[in-house]
Amino acid sequence: MAKAIFYHAGCPVCVSAAKDILNLIPENEVEVIHLGADKSKVKDAESAGVKSVPALVLSNGNVLHINFGASIEDLK
Amino acid sequence: MAKAIFYHAGCPVCVSAAKDILNLIPENEVEVIHLGADKSKVKDAESAGVKSVPALVLSNGNVLHINFGASIEDLK
């Protein structure tokens, strides 16, 4: 099974949500990408439909926007 | 460990998110409550900090608002 991808940007909302989500989802089923630290992935995230972070892109292509930390526009 | 509670209201956004979340979280760790079908729980959800559904209230008290289906105000 393809992994889910958790995109975040190091903001407090992101870090808190990341901790919670990673407690719930088995670690081997999710990849964590820090868009603040790896700007080259912002485009991938946007293509996947991510509008804001933190967000979880599932292996079925669905995007779960979790709370609101920062707009993807602000990460470019 | 206390269970997480997934609140939803049967809306399309809710049902889609519910399916995705329940695929990710082991079934025995989450309780699903349909606020449209069980209005008496709306107050509990609101007290827990739920502003909109779908939302996941974690055993640590954190609330993850996932996408946006309906405001809690509209469920009263």
Side-chain angles (χ1 to χ4, degrees):
Chain A
M1 193 186 94
K3 281 188 180 191
I5 303 176
F6 183 83
Y7 286 106
H8 74 113
C11 55
V13 170
C14 297
V15 170
S16 168
K19 220 183 255 180
D20 289 333
I21 284 288
L22 299 177
N23 271 337
L24 288 169
I25 304 177
E27 206 179 330
N28 59 349
E29 288 184 20
V30 62
E31 184 183 352
V32 177
I33 293 179
H34 187 319
L35 291 177
D38 191 352
K39 294 254 181 198
S40 69
K41 297 283 173 67
V42 172
K43 214 173 159 183
D44 292 351
E46 199 173 25
S47 304
V50 174
K51 309 274 185 220
S52 62
V53 288
L56 190 65
V57 177
L58 304 175
S59 52
N60 65 7
N62 287 357
V63 183
L64 301 180
H65 293 94
I66 299 166
N67 295 341
F68 182 84
S71 165
I72 195 93
E73 292 298 324
D74 295 332
L75 300 174
K76 287 181 182 173
Chain B
M1 195 186 94
K3 281 188 178 190
I5 303 176
F6 183 82
Y7 287 106
H8 75 112
C11 55
V13 170
C14 296
V15 170
S16 168
K19 221 184 253 180
D20 289 333
I21 284 288
L22 299 177
N23 270 337
L24 288 169
I25 304 176
E27 206 179 330
N28 59 346
E29 288 184 21
V30 62
E31 183 184 350
V32 177
I33 292 179
H34 187 319
L35 291 178
D38 191 352
K39 293 255 179 195
S40 69
K41 297 283 173 65
V42 171
K43 214 173 159 185
D44 292 353
E46 199 172 24
S47 304
V50 173
K51 309 272 187 224
S52 62
V53 288
L56 191 65
V57 177
L58 304 176
S59 53
N60 65 6
N62 286 356
V63 182
L64 302 179
H65 292 96
I66 300 165
N67 295 340
F68 181 85
S71 165
I72 193 94
E73 292 298 324
D74 295 333
L75 300 174
K76 287 181 183 173

